[in-house]
Amino acid sequence: MKVLILGTGFAGEGHADAFRGAGADVVGIVGRTPHVVSKVAGKLDIPYHGTDWLAAIVACQPDIVSIATPGGAHYEPIRQAIEFGCHVFCDKPMTACADTAVELHELAQRKGVKTAYAASFRYTSGVLHAKHLVADGAIGEPVEVECVSHFNLERTIPFGWSHRKEDGGGRLNNNFTHTLSIVTSVIGERILSVMGEVRDDLERAPIVEGVHNFMERRKFIPSDLDDPMLKWGESNVEWSYTVMARLASPLATKPVSVLFKHGGLVPRFHEDHIVFYGKEGAIYLKGHYGSGPLYLWSKNGIWEEIPRPENITAMVPDVQGETEQCWHYLAREFVRDIRGEDVEPYPTFREGSQYQQIIDLIRRNDDWKDVSGLN
């Protein structure tokens, strides 16, 4: 099974490794800059490389394309790949807005191609463990979920795609997508209603040349932020959000309440965490994506750390890095599905387009009611 990669940064390299881990053949890679894509192709031993996406599809005739660029650059390459009949693996966000995400989901359905949407932190060992415990009745009927994280990101990270809504930036696109996927994987995929508030508390960031790999952007923070020659770009997207949702669950008789609270630029005091509350107990996962230790509050009235069972640990691919493990897991399921094997449901363009519609609704910030005149 042949795979063509779009993107030469951290995600591009990660996707290539993930598909090789799934037993596929990575036959080509495409990027914007000739010398960069040539270097990455040589490093990864990928036979074909270039800067022309359509030419690469024609030359490589891939079964799968893997989209590993920022969200604002997703729409046209995905549309073209689907038209060629390729299956599509796409990192989050699916696109920069709801309309294009819905269009691509509907096009994929018409063309009969399979899709995977990499809101993939639902595959950490902690989340997989929690999912099994909840399904086995460890907390009884689920009633509430709480997801809290504070990243304290540097305000001087160089200006780039993450600062621009049109390029797929923002914390909803790049944090909420994962957390929503985690909660739905444990509680149930049917999202009933949402409301939320977003805030851009960054406003601007320094413009710096040379940033290629997203994971290395901190190395380019200017040493002199008072330099009068330094240029600044304006952020137009959220860095903090608060979202409330209600989910239907096959394990609950009433909708489950969910709180998503994220501050991208403020420090944490206690650990980031995800908690699943039920009528008979609760599960606490340390970490913003639930990758830390798991604690169970049961009928004995205390929190107890529950070790990961061997069968859960064995499900997670044995590779370095949590992000990479989750890409490997999803790529493995996607390839198996394309080959006709039985697999558990995984996120597709259905979820990708749904999440993008939800993000657009939250960004309207129109849920507030003026009570300033109440006596």
Side-chain angles (χ1 to χ4, degrees), residues 20 22 27 35 38-39 60 74 78 119 133 186 208 221 247 263 267-268 310 315 319 346 348 375:
R20 283 174 168 166
V27 296
H35 77 272
S38 176
K39 179 181 178 180
C60 295
H74 286 180
I78 292 175
L133 287 172
V186 175
V208 179
I221 295 175
L247 272 61
R268 65 181 62 87
E310 290 185 7
M315 295 171 67
V319 296
Y346 55 84
T348 69
N375 294 324

PDB file of all heavy atoms in Angstrom, residues 20 22 27 35 38-39 60 74 78 119 133 186 208 221 247 263 267-268 310 315 319 346 348 375:
ATOM      1  N   ARG A  20       4.940   3.693   7.886  1.00  0.00           N
ATOM      2  CA  ARG A  20       5.885   2.591   7.761  1.00  0.00           C
ATOM      3  C   ARG A  20       5.675   1.583   8.887  1.00  0.00           C
ATOM      4  O   ARG A  20       5.757   0.369   8.668  1.00  0.00           O
ATOM      5  CB  ARG A  20       7.315   3.136   7.773  1.00  0.00           C
ATOM      6  CG  ARG A  20       7.720   3.756   6.438  1.00  0.00           C
ATOM      7  CD  ARG A  20       9.065   4.429   6.497  1.00  0.00           C
ATOM      8  NE  ARG A  20       9.551   4.758   5.154  1.00  0.00           N
ATOM      9  CZ  ARG A  20      10.555   5.561   4.897  1.00  0.00           C
ATOM     10  NH1 ARG A  20      11.211   6.146   5.900  1.00  0.00           N
ATOM     11  NH2 ARG A  20      10.925   5.811   3.654  1.00  0.00           N
ATOM     12  N   ALA A  22       2.920   0.885  10.144  1.00  0.00           N
ATOM     13  CA  ALA A  22       1.685   0.159   9.822  1.00  0.00           C
ATOM     14  C   ALA A  22       1.860  -0.792   8.647  1.00  0.00           C
ATOM     15  O   ALA A  22       0.900  -1.439   8.225  1.00  0.00           O
ATOM     16  CB  ALA A  22       0.574   1.159   9.521  1.00  0.00           C
ATOM     17  N   VAL A  27       6.145   6.324  -0.519  1.00  0.00           N
ATOM     18  CA  VAL A  27       6.782   6.420  -1.835  1.00  0.00           C
ATOM     19  C   VAL A  27       7.154   7.841  -2.223  1.00  0.00           C
ATOM     20  O   VAL A  27       7.926   8.049  -3.164  1.00  0.00           O
ATOM     21  CB  VAL A  27       5.867   5.821  -2.924  1.00  0.00           C
ATOM     22  CG1 VAL A  27       5.668   4.334  -2.688  1.00  0.00           C
ATOM     23  CG2 VAL A  27       4.517   6.549  -2.973  1.00  0.00           C
ATOM     24  N   HIS A  35      14.927  22.775  -1.412  1.00  0.00           N
ATOM     25  CA  HIS A  35      16.074  22.233  -0.678  1.00  0.00           C
ATOM     26  C   HIS A  35      15.639  21.546   0.614  1.00  0.00           C
ATOM     27  O   HIS A  35      16.280  20.580   1.057  1.00  0.00           O
ATOM     28  CB  HIS A  35      17.115  23.328  -0.396  1.00  0.00           C
ATOM     29  CG  HIS A  35      16.762  24.247   0.730  1.00  0.00           C
ATOM     30  ND1 HIS A  35      16.002  25.396   0.547  1.00  0.00           N
ATOM     31  CD2 HIS A  35      17.063  24.198   2.065  1.00  0.00           C
ATOM     32  CE1 HIS A  35      15.866  26.013   1.708  1.00  0.00           C
ATOM     33  NE2 HIS A  35      16.490  25.316   2.635  1.00  0.00           N
ATOM     34  N   SER A  38      14.028  18.097  -0.360  1.00  0.00           N
ATOM     35  CA  SER A  38      15.102  17.205  -0.781  1.00  0.00           C
ATOM     36  C   SER A  38      15.863  16.652   0.421  1.00  0.00           C
ATOM     37  O   SER A  38      16.176  15.456   0.491  1.00  0.00           O
ATOM     38  CB  SER A  38      16.061  17.956  -1.705  1.00  0.00           C
ATOM     39  OG  SER A  38      17.161  17.144  -2.054  1.00  0.00           O
ATOM     40  N   LYS A  39      16.131  17.522   1.384  1.00  0.00           N
ATOM     41  CA  LYS A  39      16.859  17.103   2.585  1.00  0.00           C
ATOM     42  C   LYS A  39      16.056  16.098   3.397  1.00  0.00           C
ATOM     43  O   LYS A  39      16.590  15.077   3.859  1.00  0.00           O
ATOM     44  CB  LYS A  39      17.179  18.334   3.428  1.00  0.00           C
ATOM     45  CG  LYS A  39      17.921  18.029   4.721  1.00  0.00           C
ATOM     46  CD  LYS A  39      18.183  19.310   5.508  1.00  0.00           C
ATOM     47  CE  LYS A  39      18.890  19.011   6.830  1.00  0.00           C
ATOM     48  NZ  LYS A  39      19.146  20.265   7.603  1.00  0.00           N
ATOM     49  N   CYS A  60       3.332   9.190  -8.338  1.00  0.00           N
ATOM     50  CA  CYS A  60       3.413   8.156  -7.298  1.00  0.00           C
ATOM     51  C   CYS A  60       2.225   7.207  -7.290  1.00  0.00           C
ATOM     52  O   CYS A  60       2.326   6.093  -6.772  1.00  0.00           O
ATOM     53  CB  CYS A  60       3.557   8.807  -5.924  1.00  0.00           C
ATOM     54  SG  CYS A  60       5.084   9.733  -5.680  1.00  0.00           S
ATOM     55  N   HIS A  74      -4.838  22.751   3.962  1.00  0.00           N
ATOM     56  CA  HIS A  74      -5.392  21.410   3.782  1.00  0.00           C
ATOM     57  C   HIS A  74      -6.394  21.287   2.638  1.00  0.00           C
ATOM     58  O   HIS A  74      -6.443  20.260   1.965  1.00  0.00           O
ATOM     59  CB  HIS A  74      -6.085  20.954   5.075  1.00  0.00           C
ATOM     60  CG  HIS A  74      -5.149  20.574   6.168  1.00  0.00           C
ATOM     61  ND1 HIS A  74      -5.587  20.138   7.403  1.00  0.00           N
ATOM     62  CD2 HIS A  74      -3.796  20.552   6.229  1.00  0.00           C
ATOM     63  CE1 HIS A  74      -4.541  19.869   8.172  1.00  0.00           C
ATOM     64  NE2 HIS A  74      -3.449  20.131   7.479  1.00  0.00           N
ATOM     65  N   ILE A  78      -6.367  18.143  -0.241  1.00  0.00           N
ATOM     66  CA  ILE A  78      -7.286  17.051   0.087  1.00  0.00           C
ATOM     67  C   ILE A  78      -8.313  16.882  -1.023  1.00  0.00           C
ATOM     68  O   ILE A  78      -8.615  15.754  -1.444  1.00  0.00           O
ATOM     69  CB  ILE A  78      -7.979  17.312   1.440  1.00  0.00           C
ATOM     70  CG1 ILE A  78      -6.974  17.225   2.583  1.00  0.00           C
ATOM     71  CG2 ILE A  78      -9.115  16.316   1.663  1.00  0.00           C
ATOM     72  CD1 ILE A  78      -7.552  17.577   3.938  1.00  0.00           C
ATOM     73  N   ALA A 119      -7.237  13.678  15.268  1.00  0.00           N
ATOM     74  CA  ALA A 119      -7.431  14.148  16.645  1.00  0.00           C
ATOM     75  C   ALA A 119      -7.162  12.924  17.509  1.00  0.00           C
ATOM     76  O   ALA A 119      -8.071  12.289  18.054  1.00  0.00           O
ATOM     77  CB  ALA A 119      -8.846  14.677  16.843  1.00  0.00           C
ATOM     78  N   LEU A 133     -12.292   1.119  31.733  1.00  0.00           N
ATOM     79  CA  LEU A 133     -12.860   1.139  33.082  1.00  0.00           C
ATOM     80  C   LEU A 133     -14.293   1.672  33.079  1.00  0.00           C
ATOM     81  O   LEU A 133     -15.178   1.121  33.737  1.00  0.00           O
ATOM     82  CB  LEU A 133     -11.987   2.006  33.998  1.00  0.00           C
ATOM     83  CG  LEU A 133     -10.644   1.410  34.418  1.00  0.00           C
ATOM     84  CD1 LEU A 133      -9.809   2.456  35.158  1.00  0.00           C
ATOM     85  CD2 LEU A 133     -10.849   0.175  35.302  1.00  0.00           C
ATOM     86  N   VAL A 186     -14.507   8.077  25.202  1.00  0.00           N
ATOM     87  CA  VAL A 186     -14.811   7.420  26.473  1.00  0.00           C
ATOM     88  C   VAL A 186     -16.308   7.424  26.767  1.00  0.00           C
ATOM     89  O   VAL A 186     -16.873   6.412  27.200  1.00  0.00           O
ATOM     90  CB  VAL A 186     -14.048   8.101  27.632  1.00  0.00           C
ATOM     91  CG1 VAL A 186     -14.448   7.507  28.983  1.00  0.00           C
ATOM     92  CG2 VAL A 186     -12.543   7.963  27.428  1.00  0.00           C
ATOM     93  N   VAL A 208       9.924  36.426  12.722  1.00  0.00           N
ATOM     94  CA  VAL A 208      11.297  35.942  12.646  1.00  0.00           C
ATOM     95  C   VAL A 208      11.417  34.994  11.456  1.00  0.00           C
ATOM     96  O   VAL A 208      10.540  34.148  11.228  1.00  0.00           O
ATOM     97  CB  VAL A 208      11.700  35.205  13.943  1.00  0.00           C
ATOM     98  CG1 VAL A 208      13.125  34.677  13.836  1.00  0.00           C
ATOM     99  CG2 VAL A 208      11.559  36.122  15.145  1.00  0.00           C
ATOM    100  N   ILE A 221      13.072  32.547  19.291  1.00  0.00           N
ATOM    101  CA  ILE A 221      12.582  33.701  20.041  1.00  0.00           C
ATOM    102  C   ILE A 221      13.681  34.765  20.089  1.00  0.00           C
ATOM    103  O   ILE A 221      14.817  34.475  20.473  1.00  0.00           O
ATOM    104  CB  ILE A 221      12.161  33.296  21.468  1.00  0.00           C
ATOM    105  CG1 ILE A 221      10.955  32.342  21.419  1.00  0.00           C
ATOM    106  CG2 ILE A 221      11.834  34.527  22.305  1.00  0.00           C
ATOM    107  CD1 ILE A 221      10.548  31.805  22.776  1.00  0.00           C
ATOM    108  N   LEU A 247     -23.187  15.572  26.067  1.00  0.00           N
ATOM    109  CA  LEU A 247     -23.013  14.404  25.214  1.00  0.00           C
ATOM    110  C   LEU A 247     -24.027  13.324  25.572  1.00  0.00           C
ATOM    111  O   LEU A 247     -24.293  13.091  26.761  1.00  0.00           O
ATOM    112  CB  LEU A 247     -21.606  13.815  25.375  1.00  0.00           C
ATOM    113  CG  LEU A 247     -20.485  14.345  24.491  1.00  0.00           C
ATOM    114  CD1 LEU A 247     -20.256  15.830  24.713  1.00  0.00           C
ATOM    115  CD2 LEU A 247     -19.207  13.562  24.754  1.00  0.00           C
ATOM    116  N   GLY A 263      -6.243  27.448  29.172  1.00  0.00           N
ATOM    117  CA  GLY A 263      -5.541  28.721  29.094  1.00  0.00           C
ATOM    118  C   GLY A 263      -4.189  28.504  28.451  1.00  0.00           C
ATOM    119  O   GLY A 263      -3.307  27.872  29.049  1.00  0.00           O
ATOM    120  N   PRO A 267      -0.111  30.219  33.657  1.00  0.00           N
ATOM    121  CA  PRO A 267       0.530  29.081  34.333  1.00  0.00           C
ATOM    122  C   PRO A 267      -0.458  28.227  35.108  1.00  0.00           C
ATOM    123  O   PRO A 267      -1.484  28.712  35.582  1.00  0.00           O
ATOM    124  CB  PRO A 267       1.521  29.756  35.284  1.00  0.00           C
ATOM    125  CG  PRO A 267       0.899  31.083  35.591  1.00  0.00           C
ATOM    126  CD  PRO A 267       0.196  31.507  34.328  1.00  0.00           C
ATOM    127  N   ARG A 268      -0.129  26.961  35.250  1.00  0.00           N
ATOM    128  CA  ARG A 268      -0.931  26.046  36.072  1.00  0.00           C
ATOM    129  C   ARG A 268      -0.445  26.090  37.519  1.00  0.00           C
ATOM    130  O   ARG A 268       0.723  26.387  37.783  1.00  0.00           O
ATOM    131  CB  ARG A 268      -0.855  24.620  35.522  1.00  0.00           C
ATOM    132  CG  ARG A 268       0.524  23.990  35.599  1.00  0.00           C
ATOM    133  CD  ARG A 268       0.540  22.583  35.026  1.00  0.00           C
ATOM    134  NE  ARG A 268       0.201  22.543  33.624  1.00  0.00           N
ATOM    135  CZ  ARG A 268       1.086  22.701  32.634  1.00  0.00           C
ATOM    136  NH1 ARG A 268       2.356  22.949  32.917  1.00  0.00           N
ATOM    137  NH2 ARG A 268       0.704  22.629  31.383  1.00  0.00           N
ATOM    138  N   GLU A 310      -1.514  -4.808  31.499  1.00  0.00           N
ATOM    139  CA  GLU A 310      -0.601  -5.176  30.411  1.00  0.00           C
ATOM    140  C   GLU A 310      -1.290  -5.153  29.054  1.00  0.00           C
ATOM    141  O   GLU A 310      -0.683  -4.781  28.051  1.00  0.00           O
ATOM    142  CB  GLU A 310       0.000  -6.560  30.682  1.00  0.00           C
ATOM    143  CG  GLU A 310       0.989  -6.587  31.834  1.00  0.00           C
ATOM    144  CD  GLU A 310       1.653  -7.938  31.980  1.00  0.00           C
ATOM    145  OE1 GLU A 310       1.445  -8.807  31.103  1.00  0.00           O
ATOM    146  OE2 GLU A 310       2.385  -8.139  32.974  1.00  0.00           O
ATOM    147  N   MET A 315      -1.429  -2.311  23.654  1.00  0.00           N
ATOM    148  CA  MET A 315      -2.158  -1.722  22.533  1.00  0.00           C
ATOM    149  C   MET A 315      -1.426  -0.524  21.931  1.00  0.00           C
ATOM    150  O   MET A 315      -1.626  -0.189  20.767  1.00  0.00           O
ATOM    151  CB  MET A 315      -3.554  -1.276  22.994  1.00  0.00           C
ATOM    152  CG  MET A 315      -4.467  -2.407  23.420  1.00  0.00           C
ATOM    153  SD  MET A 315      -5.990  -1.799  24.202  1.00  0.00           S
ATOM    154  CE  MET A 315      -6.784  -1.000  22.817  1.00  0.00           C
ATOM    155  N   VAL A 319       6.939   3.207  20.298  1.00  0.00           N
ATOM    156  CA  VAL A 319       7.777   4.211  19.652  1.00  0.00           C
ATOM    157  C   VAL A 319       7.978   5.375  20.616  1.00  0.00           C
ATOM    158  O   VAL A 319       7.223   5.551  21.563  1.00  0.00           O
ATOM    159  CB  VAL A 319       7.159   4.727  18.330  1.00  0.00           C
ATOM    160  CG1 VAL A 319       7.070   3.618  17.306  1.00  0.00           C
ATOM    161  CG2 VAL A 319       5.786   5.344  18.564  1.00  0.00           C
ATOM    162  N   TYR A 346     -12.769   4.742  14.362  1.00  0.00           N
ATOM    163  CA  TYR A 346     -11.723   5.745  14.584  1.00  0.00           C
ATOM    164  C   TYR A 346     -12.202   7.076  14.008  1.00  0.00           C
ATOM    165  O   TYR A 346     -13.155   7.110  13.218  1.00  0.00           O
ATOM    166  CB  TYR A 346     -10.403   5.302  13.935  1.00  0.00           C
ATOM    167  CG  TYR A 346     -10.509   4.982  12.456  1.00  0.00           C
ATOM    168  CD1 TYR A 346     -10.439   5.987  11.492  1.00  0.00           C
ATOM    169  CD2 TYR A 346     -10.674   3.669  12.010  1.00  0.00           C
ATOM    170  CE1 TYR A 346     -10.539   5.698  10.136  1.00  0.00           C
ATOM    171  CE2 TYR A 346     -10.773   3.366  10.669  1.00  0.00           C
ATOM    172  CZ  TYR A 346     -10.699   4.385   9.729  1.00  0.00           C
ATOM    173  OH  TYR A 346     -10.807   4.098   8.382  1.00  0.00           O
ATOM    174  N   THR A 348     -12.869  10.076  11.672  1.00  0.00           N
ATOM    175  CA  THR A 348     -12.842  10.246  10.229  1.00  0.00           C
ATOM    176  C   THR A 348     -13.182  11.700   9.887  1.00  0.00           C
ATOM    177  O   THR A 348     -13.298  12.546  10.772  1.00  0.00           O
ATOM    178  CB  THR A 348     -13.856   9.313   9.555  1.00  0.00           C
ATOM    179  OG1 THR A 348     -15.187   9.770   9.883  1.00  0.00           O
ATOM    180  CG2 THR A 348     -13.688   7.870  10.009  1.00  0.00           C
ATOM    181  N   ASN A 375     -31.712  44.099  39.040  1.00  0.00           N
ATOM    182  CA  ASN A 375     -31.664  44.662  40.390  1.00  0.00           C
ATOM    183  C   ASN A 375     -31.212  43.596  41.393  1.00  0.00           C
ATOM    184  O   ASN A 375     -31.451  42.418  41.219  1.00  0.00           O
ATOM    185  CB  ASN A 375     -33.042  45.193  40.797  1.00  0.00           C
ATOM    186  CG  ASN A 375     -33.442  46.380  39.932  1.00  0.00           C
ATOM    187  OD1 ASN A 375     -32.575  47.186  39.564  1.00  0.00           O
ATOM    188  ND2 ASN A 375     -34.720  46.492  39.619  1.00  0.00           N
TER     189      ASN A 375
END
